[in-house]
Amino acid sequence: MSYIFSNKTIGNSETNETYGNVETYIKQQDTAFSLMKSLGIHAVKTGYVGKLIPEGEYHHGQFMVNHYNETVKKAAKYNIAINAHEPIKPTGLRRTYPNTISREGLRGQEFNVWDPKGGNPPEHLSIIAFTRMLAGPIDYTPGIFNIKLDNYREGKQVNTTIAHQLALYVVIYSPIQMVADLLEHYEANSKPLEFIKEVGVDWEKTVVLNGEVGDFVTIARNERKTGNWFLGSISDENSRKITIDFSFLEDKTTYLAKIYKDGKNAHWDKNPFDIEFETIEVTRHSKKTFQLASGGGLAISLIKKN
């Protein structure tokens, strides 16, 4: 099963979903990884949704702890990076095995579909940025444009605005990013898709501009190869004004700021699709104030001119 990834450093990626049948996956790993290497596929998302086989084992038990680690070791022999889902929390082993490029290990985006209590609340990721993200990269599967999911599960939705979804590509750090919605939803929203096409994944520098745990956070990251900056800001269930001080930018340089922001009537539940676009020039001496909607966000590409 394949997914489209936004990734400028690794290349093509593949998904291996075991549906909990871990023993069968172990037997097939050498064959699968060998085929991937021959096809130039250098990253795989491993998934273990469902009740595990063998029976009696659990996602965070010792059997799976060993399996996650052995999978990373085996993948390294084939020059393949692992992005694990349903995993144990990060423990620092990616320092030994740097092909552990990212992992889930939190209430991911999919909880918005099946959680009987209504999915992840708007404040969820403004907590995660200060907690789980400290342990290492997160594959949250951002970029959902079809916020209301009534056609699939009535009454379910993603509890953010579209601008918030764009901001997650910067706020939630991962060296490999997934473009997680259906193709037709991106075709219908070509303008916000431009940010996902442009945003980096390999960062030289990160600056946390403001934030409070569980309320809001604004992060800017400097792309390693281009020197361009990208900024993401997200809010909880409260709307708020934030002022961006662009003093983190390079001196004596003008940047083209492509701004993706909540519309005037945006709201995570009542009007999540309201988004506005603006392009201005900024320097490190610029300051600008933005209104974040309830459950809203802000995403900015800062591209060096000339």
Side-chain angles (χ1 to χ4, degrees), residues 163-164 166-172 195 199 207-210 216-221 229-235 242 244 260 292 297-302:
H164 185 122
L166 294 181
L168 295 182
Y169 284 95
V170 183
V171 172
I172 302 300
F195 181 80
V199 69
V207 180
V208 180
L209 299 177
N210 54 46
F216 68 102
V217 62
T218 306
I219 296 177
R221 302 188 193 270
W229 285 83
F230 296 88
L231 181 147
S233 183
I234 58 173
S235 183
I242 59 166
I244 303 298
Y260 305 77
L292 300 184
L298 168 72
I300 306 178
S301 298
L302 294 152

Side-chain angles (χ1 to χ4, degrees), residues 261-293:
K261 60 184 179 180
D262 292 318
K264 294 179 180 178
N265 298 311
H267 184 280
W268 67 268
D269 182 31
K270 298 174 184 176
N271 196 2
F273 304 104
D274 190 9
I275 186 169
E276 295 180 358
F277 313 100
E278 182 182 4
T279 300
I280 61 174
E281 291 184 359
V282 298
T283 69
R284 70 186 314 271
H285 304 292
S286 302
K287 290 184 180 181
K288 188 170 174 62
T289 298
F290 297 93
Q291 181 75 43
L292 300 184

